[in-house]
Amino acid sequence: MPTTADVMSELVRLPVQRTGERMAELATVLRLSGGLHTINGRIALEAELHTPQSVQRVRKDLMELYGVRAEAKQLPPTSVRPGSPQFLVRVLDGETLARQLGLMDQRRRPIRGLPNRVTTGDAGELAAALRGAFLSRGKITPPGRTVSLEITCPSSETSMALVGAASRIGIDAKGREIRGVAKLLVRDGESIGELLGAMGAVRSREAWDELRKARETRATANRLVNFDDANLRRSAQASVAACARVERALEILGESVPEHLNYAGQLRLSNREASLDELGARAVPPLTKDAIAGRIRRLLAMADKAADEQGIPNTEASIPDVLDQIDSI
């Protein structure tokens, strides 16, 4: 069962060769996990990350792609809530880097969505952006009563940009605001598997798909069992009702019942659990399903007519109270 930690561990170790994909991932990580701040009159770029591996990956990309050395430190335990980021990466002179990454516009204002070059990139760069988003603020809920993959975003513009990126690579995602927090949400189990694969979490996707298919198979089996149980209950109830009516019909008609109808009635009573096909096969000579059903219907109709003429309860009055809604033969 792939957990959030499993997916992040696989993604953070994924080697990426193309420069465009590395830049798209890095820009998205910094956009979702940090922000621009002014420290002593200088614009600093900061990012709060969850694991040492994420810190190492971001620092490596900053150095190799932009020649920037970033500071890193662990946040004080007293200031960190369970599940919150535990490490801080900071670039003190970050204005030039922010412009290069597309995190700042020409008026030195932080962007509200994602950098334009990220959202207009090719499929590999879009997948890299989604990978960076998950590494920053992603969470996955294993298949169960509900399944979901969600990414918490700093703004609705960011979530919609990620939704657009997912859509462009064929993945159905939604942007939602939950308790004032913007999120990208994927709730379809198959789409989650596709997104895991696109981001590069191949092993997690295989484990996810196996678990999802196993649960779907189990759910289908349960539905079939319940369906069969319901059919068996209805069949048993119908059999009880039919036999009760036949017994009453033979009682009402007495010796006046025609021989062929009496034979059909007695055959029904002596084979209470048998289907109409089975009753016809056991008749001598054998009868078709329609023939045996027709004889039993005529027996009941004749008995009901006789009961009405005599002013006595008809065959339906003999059905047990719990079965009085069953449509018998």
Side-chain angles (χ1 to χ4, degrees):
M1 178 184 299
T3 64
T4 300
D6 293 333
V7 177
M8 286 192 174
S9 178
E10 184 176 0
L11 292 179
V12 81
R13 290 174 171 80
L14 179 71
V16 181
Q17 303 300 328
R18 289 186 57 207
T19 300
E21 293 180 12
R22 294 179 68 186
M23 293 172 63
E25 179 187 317
L26 178 62
T28 309
V29 167
L30 295 174
R31 176 69 186 97
L32 268 70
S33 63
L36 302 177
H37 306 280
T38 302
I39 302 176
N40 296 328
R42 295 181 297 177
I43 293 179
L45 182 60
E46 296 182 342
E48 294 182 351
L49 302 170
H50 289 81
T51 65
Q53 293 79 12
S54 298
V55 172
Q56 184 180 1
R57 187 178 180 94
V58 168
R59 294 184 72 192
K60 179 182 178 182
D61 285 344
L62 286 171
M63 175 57 69
E64 294 182 357
L65 296 175
Y66 298 99
V68 172
R69 186 179 299 277
E71 300 176 357
K73 68 176 183 178
Q74 186 168 0
L75 297 173
T78 56
S79 66
V80 177
R81 293 176 300 175
S84 297
Q86 301 179 24
F87 301 90
L88 177 67
V89 176
R90 176 185 292 161
V91 178
L92 283 175
D93 291 310
E95 181 172 348
T96 300
L97 176 62
R99 291 182 183 276
Q100 290 175 319
L101 288 167
L103 299 176
M104 178 185 291
D105 63 19
Q106 296 299 320
R107 297 183 180 181
R108 303 180 74 225
R109 296 177 304 186
I111 63 170
R112 292 192 56 80
L114 289 178
N116 183 63
R117 72 169 126 190
V118 172
T119 58
T120 58
D122 59 26
E125 292 169 355
L126 294 171
L130 290 163
R131 179 170 59 249
F134 190 90
L135 283 170
S136 301
R137 296 293 182 269
K139 178 182 177 182
I140 188 170
T141 303
R145 294 180 65 87
T146 60
V147 297
S148 70
L149 184 150
E150 65 179 53
I151 297 173
T152 302
C153 301
S155 67
S156 58
E157 291 87 349
T158 309
S159 67
M160 293 311 299
L162 289 174
V163 169
S167 177
R168 287 184 58 194
I169 59 176
I171 296 168
D172 183 25
K174 306 293 182 184
R176 294 286 186 270
E177 188 167 315
I178 302 174
R179 299 184 185 90
V181 178
K183 293 185 178 184
L184 171 142
L185 292 175
V186 183
R187 296 194 182 278
D188 176 69
E190 186 173 353
S191 296
I192 292 174
E194 292 174 356
L195 180 54
L196 290 174
M199 292 190 299
V202 178
R203 292 194 304 273
S204 294
R205 178 185 183 173
E206 291 175 353
W208 176 273
D209 286 343
E210 288 179 5
L211 180 61
R212 178 178 61 83
K213 291 176 181 178
R215 288 184 179 273
E216 289 178 353
T217 300
R218 192 177 304 117
T220 300
N222 288 339
R223 285 195 297 270
L224 291 175
V225 168
N226 292 336
F227 179 76
D228 288 343
D229 286 347
N231 280 343
L232 288 173
R233 286 194 299 271
R234 284 194 293 268
S235 177
Q237 290 172 337
S239 176
V240 171
C243 290
R245 293 191 65 190
V246 168
E247 286 180 336
R248 176 60 180 163
L250 295 177
E251 180 183 337
I252 293 171
L253 295 175
E255 296 181 357
S256 65
V257 61
E259 182 178 351
H260 67 293
L261 300 186
N262 180 65
Y263 178 75
Q266 295 295 344
L267 191 63
R268 170 79 279 178
L269 295 178
S270 60
N271 299 276
R272 293 174 178 265
E273 303 299 327
S275 66
L276 291 174
D277 280 327
E278 292 170 337
L279 286 181
R282 293 175 184 179
V284 181
L287 298 171
T288 65
K289 170 184 175 180
D290 291 338
I292 196 72
R295 291 189 182 187
I296 294 176
R297 279 197 299 271
R298 288 195 294 275
L299 172 65
L300 298 179
M302 180 180 293
D304 287 339
K305 182 179 179 181
D308 290 341
E309 292 174 350
Q310 299 173 37
I312 60 176
N314 61 18
T315 61
E316 292 186 355
S318 65
I319 299 177
D321 292 340
V322 294
L323 302 178
D324 58 3
Q325 298 300 320
I326 299 292
D327 290 327
S328 55
I329 297 174

